[in-house]
Amino acid sequence: MTPPKASDAQCADENTPPAVSLRMDVLKKRSDFLRAARARRQGTASMMVQMRNRGDDDPATRVGFTCSKKVGNAVARNRAKRRLREAAREVLPESGHAGCDYVLIGRAEVTANRPFDLLVGDLRHALKKLHGPK
């Protein structure tokens, strides 16, 4: 996930925010996904969210995305993951906790077709439940 380049007009104006203000670390190793699978989870209508507090000194928030073949063919899975990625980009800076790993799992038929504002609301709700009392 490389941020887009800022145009020359944006670089000239110091008051303009950068093209992308957040850099999310992405989970890529299978072992990270398996550790998150053993941690807390919260299901919503459009996704399953798994959260693991790493307990290390790294303050980074890491996030992973996955969709099984139950979601559909490669086109449907990639569309669902793109929508989850964008929802995470919108919600995690304000609702995510430092030092945590999050895995967002797409659901068949629902993740790709649910209105985006409801998808974002589902993610906010899941994070609120995960970060609440055990």
Side-chain angles (χ1 to χ4, degrees):
M1 293 178 23
T2 6
K5 300 272 185 204
S7 67
D8 292 335
Q10 286 179 333
C11 293
D13 184 13
E14 294 178 10
N15 295 329
T16 304
V20 172
S21 59
L22 171 71
R23 169 87 171 103
M24 284 190 296
D25 290 342
V26 180
L27 295 177
K28 294 186 190 247
K29 293 184 181 178
R30 182 174 188 266
S31 59
D32 291 332
F33 282 91
L34 292 176
R35 277 189 220 110
R38 289 191 301 264
R40 297 187 73 186
R41 68 182 57 92
Q42 178 65 45
T44 66
S46 60
M47 72 185 82
M48 171 74 73
V49 181
Q50 299 171 340
M51 181 203 77
R52 179 179 84 95
N53 189 346
R54 289 191 310 273
D56 58 7
D57 294 334
D58 186 12
T61 298
R62 301 186 314 173
V63 63
F65 307 94
T66 185
C67 290
S68 72
K69 287 190 176 182
K70 289 180 185 177
V71 172
N73 62 11
V75 174
R77 291 194 306 271
N78 287 333
R79 180 167 189 253
K81 284 190 282 190
R82 276 195 310 270
R83 297 185 87 228
L84 290 174
R85 200 174 295 123
E86 191 56 38
R89 195 174 286 137
E90 187 173 315
V91 173
L92 282 180
E94 62 196 34
S95 300
H97 288 191
C100 288
D101 289 346
Y102 299 96
V103 176
L104 278 60
I105 304 171
R107 291 189 187 258
E109 313 234 345
V110 184
T111 303
N113 298 325
R114 191 159 172 89
F116 188 72
D117 57 334
L118 295 178
L119 189 75
V120 169
D122 287 346
L123 181 55
R124 281 196 175 103
H125 173 73
L127 291 177
K128 198 178 298 183
K129 296 283 258 184
L130 286 169
H131 292 302
K134 291 183 180 179

